[in-house]
Structures are given as C-alpha cells and as structure tokens.
Amino acid sequence: MSPSVNALRMKPAGMACAALALSTCALAGGVDRTSHSLSPLFEKGAHLSIEAYASRPQIQGSDAWGQSTGQVAPRFAQWGFAYKQDVDARNSVLVMLTRPYGLDIDYDRQSSRLFGGTQARISTYELMGALRHRWTERWAVHGGLRVQRSEGHVALNGLAFGPLNGYRVDFTPSTRPGYLLGLSYERPEIGLRIAGTYYSAIKHHVTTRETLRAGTTTTDSNSPQSFTLDLQTGLTPSTLVFGQIRWSQWSQFQLSPQAFAAATQGRSLTDLEDATTYTLGLAQKLGQQWSGFVALGYDPQSGKTPLSPLRPSSGRVGYTLGLSYQHERVKITPWISYQRLGATDVSSTRTPMAHFGQSSATAVGVKLGYSFE
C-alpha cells in the first residue's frame, strides 16, 4: 500500500477527534467548546458522522475571607453531527450542526459569602451549510452560511457585588446568520493538506429582562470573528502529523444590558480578550483496522488580573489520547482528554477577592462515522 493511501486513511481518526477534544474545557480560549474543524468536508464520497463528549471540570478556589468557593463549574455534555455529499467530481456539500460556544458557572450558595449563588449559563447552537469547489487537483475553495441560536442568563450574588448583589439578567433566544470562507491546498501523494477558514462575526440583538428594570430591553452582542488554520502531512507510510492554529476575537464579545450598564458606568458582564489556541498531534496506523493518535492543545494564560468571577481559570494545556477502529463502512473512535487549567485571581472590582489555583477538566468522547460508498 502506498504512503499516501495509508496517511489519508488515518486522517479522520487524528484530525476529527483531536479537533473535537480541542476545547473540552470551555473556560479557556473564550467560551469555545469545539475547534470549528471542517474535516468532514474532506471525507471521500457520502459520509455521516455523529460525535459527543462529556466533560467534568474540577475548579475550586478560596475567597479573601478564607472560605471555599466549592466546585464552580458543573459537568456538561456536547454533541454534533455532519453529513457530507459529493455533487460531482469537483463539488461537494456539507451540513453540520454543532454547539460551538457555551459556559456553565455555578457558585455554591452554602460556601463563599462573597460569591455564593453567582451563576452564568450561555448555550449556543449553530447550523452550517458549506460548499467546496476544486478547481485543480490541489487547490479548492470552500464557503457557506451559518445560522446561530444563542441564549443564557447571568446572576450576580454575594457580598462582593455590593449594590448589585441579587442582580439577574435573562437573555431570550436570538437567531442570527453569518458566513464562512476558506481555501485549501492538498498533495494526496504525501498526505499533505493545508486549509484556512475565516468565520464571520455574528451580531445578535437579544431581548433582555433585568431585575433592575421593569419590562424588557435589547442587548447587542457579537459572537467573535475567527480564523482557523488546519494542517496535516504524512511522515511515513503509516504515520501522520496534524495540527491547528485558531484565532478568535473574543474582545468583541460584550454583554452590557442597559440597566447593568447604567449602574456600572457602561461595564460589560464579560471581560474576555482575543485568544489563540494551538494543537499538535500524531496519528499512527496500528493494523488494517486500527489506528491511534495523541494530541497536545495549548491556550496561553491571560495577561489580565484579576479576572471576572465568571472566568475562574486562565490558560490551558490539554492532552488527548484516542483509538479508531474501522469495519467495512463503519468507523468508531473513542478518546479521552485531560485538561490542565491555569491559576488566576478573580474579583468584581480591581482588587483580588478570590484565588483559584491550578485546576483540571477530564473529558471522554466518541465519534461514529459511516461511509455510504
């Protein structure tokens, strides 16, 4: 068997699963919970994939009064699916449903008196349709439309928030469109692929209800624009190296409900800055039906301190290990990931009011793939 065929057969195990585990902790790299990888678009023929994972963060700190915050990040689960179909020899289409962004924070009311009862939940769903056109054997362009639905709530409780103690805001579901554009270069004889994709910002106009004001208002919020660069190449007839660099403009993600902004001189409930995430991995063919992969993910620590109580970690180093088994048209790929989260101070002002040491998150997931050809 030629090196290019071996390398290309391994890429779904290495690329898709490492990408899925890339952001298993939603407390680093903004509130990303997927890598936004378009690897299903490069599958051969008609292909269906379903993937899911569950994550268990372990994030606990102590406040300025020496009280424990308790566990502040509940467990969460993620899922998604993708279907790719060739239209003809040069064109293919992809439909994908994911939950790209999310946040779950919940301070125990019975623990810290400074932050007990503080909560935040953000949930996002995105339906994407993309078209890929190959104008040569090596070069291709892809693009498409995205429809994103976002909702959530934030509750500020505890003495640290002063007159805002007891404040709550609910964001009703908002559905808005966006787009993506990209370019790819391939050399199948050596298993090389380089693909860059730009994702537009998505502007939401959210109906908002606050405890500080009767009735409803509108809050403007942007999902960030981002750029993802995916790379892979065969090293030997049975070895593939892959990686991803992803930049997201999280500084444009602001939540400033009208009553909250009036009470805080225009402040936002969020304090995110732009983030760049790096992933590097190696996939190895282990037999006719088996392959395995390892991946390392890295998010730099924030240069800001203290951070918001809704952001009780800073930076991430992730380790992922997975196997893939293929039988005829069916492929199953289970994986496990351990994420080490950086320490940080948090506060509702500029003075640190709680400290979170190094934390962690463990995730397990599986991807099922079926080729119709």
Side-chain angles (χ1 to χ4, degrees):
M1 185 174 288
S2 69
S4 61
V5 174
N6 270 318
L8 289 175
R9 283 188 176 178
M10 288 192 307
K11 71 190 178 191
M15 291 296 289
C17 290
L20 178 67
L22 183 64
S23 298
T24 51
C25 175
L27 305 177
V31 294
D32 271 325
R33 284 189 171 174
T34 70
S35 68
H36 304 258
S37 172
L38 290 178
S39 58
L41 189 58
F42 297 91
E43 295 283 356
K44 291 187 176 180
H47 187 270
L48 174 68
S49 63
I50 301 172
E51 51 193 10
Y53 74 84
S55 180
R56 182 182 181 183
Q58 296 287 327
I59 303 176
Q60 182 171 336
S62 57
D63 66 23
W65 291 356
Q67 295 177 314
S68 171
T69 63
Q71 293 290 340
V72 303
R75 301 179 185 182
F76 65 88
Q78 289 285 105
W79 53 263
F81 85 87
Y83 177 75
K84 179 259 180 182
Q85 172 74 57
D86 287 338
V87 178
D88 52 40
R90 292 194 175 274
N91 298 289
S92 55
V93 295
L94 171 70
V95 177
M96 181 182 292
L97 178 64
T98 61
R99 300 179 64 190
Y101 308 122
L103 177 65
D104 287 284
I105 294 294
D106 190 355
Y107 286 76
D108 185 358
R109 286 185 178 275
Q110 306 305 315
S111 297
S112 170
R113 285 184 292 170
L114 290 179
F115 297 106
T118 294
Q119 296 180 337
R121 181 178 182 272
I122 297 174
S123 180
T124 303
Y125 299 84
E126 185 171 292
L127 179 65
M128 181 190 70
L131 172 68
R132 180 172 184 249
H133 172 70
R134 296 170 55 209
W135 75 79
T136 71
E137 290 301 312
R138 294 184 177 181
W139 289 96
V141 63
H142 55 270
L145 297 177
R146 302 150 56 211
V147 178
Q148 189 178 98
R149 181 181 185 270
S150 182
E151 62 181 317
H153 73 265
V154 174
L156 305 180
N157 288 288
L159 300 178
F161 296 102
L164 288 175
N165 183 7
Y167 170 82
R168 179 184 171 104
V169 57
D170 290 279
F171 302 102
T172 62
S174 169
T175 302
R176 304 291 292 180
Y179 65 90
L180 63 103
L181 290 172
L183 184 70
S184 63
Y185 174 80
E186 294 181 287
R187 291 187 60 188
E189 68 274 12
I190 60 172
L192 172 68
R193 180 197 302 145
I194 304 172
T197 306
Y198 169 77
Y199 297 83
S200 71
I202 295 180
K203 298 182 179 181
H204 290 273
H205 305 287
V206 187
T207 300
T208 305
R209 186 179 297 274
E210 302 176 78
T211 54
L212 297 179
R213 176 177 294 180
T216 61
T217 58
T218 299
T219 301
D220 293 332
S221 175
N222 291 341
S223 291
Q225 65 175 342
S226 62
F227 179 80
T228 299
L229 181 66
D230 291 300
L231 310 97
Q232 68 169 63
T233 187
L235 297 180
T236 72
S238 59
T239 306
L240 184 77
V241 64
F242 60 91
Q244 183 188 79
I245 302 174
R246 175 172 170 79
W247 170 83
S248 299
Q249 194 178 18
W250 279 108
S251 58
Q252 69 180 195
F253 177 63
Q254 300 286 317
L255 286 176
S256 298
Q258 292 184 19
F260 176 84
T264 60
Q265 298 181 336
R267 290 177 56 188
S268 169
L269 288 165
T270 59
D271 69 341
L272 301 176
E273 62 264 17
D274 299 347
T276 303
T277 298
Y278 306 88
T279 300
L280 181 65
L282 190 71
Q284 177 68 45
K285 192 171 180 63
L286 305 175
Q288 290 299 315
Q289 295 176 301
W290 290 91
S291 59
F293 72 92
V294 294
L296 174 69
Y298 173 69
D299 282 297
Q301 283 194 300
S302 172
K304 297 169 58 176
T305 187
L307 300 180
S308 163
L310 308 182
R311 191 184 172 194
S313 68
S314 179
R316 174 188 67 100
V317 178
Y319 310 91
T320 303
L321 176 67
L323 287 172
S324 182
Y325 173 77
Q326 182 160 358
H327 178 68
E328 297 179 349
R329 297 183 177 184
V330 178
K331 175 176 285 188
I332 180 171
T333 307
W335 55 266
I336 186 170
S337 182
Y338 173 79
Q339 313 283 315
R340 194 175 73 235
L341 311 177
T344 191
D345 293 324
V346 304
S347 179
S348 58
T349 65
R350 295 183 179 180
T351 302
M353 304 180 77
H355 177 75
F356 289 83
Q358 283 198 349
S359 306
S360 66
T362 303
V364 293
V366 64
K367 176 179 179 179
L368 300 175
Y370 182 83
S371 296
F372 293 89
E373 301 178 5

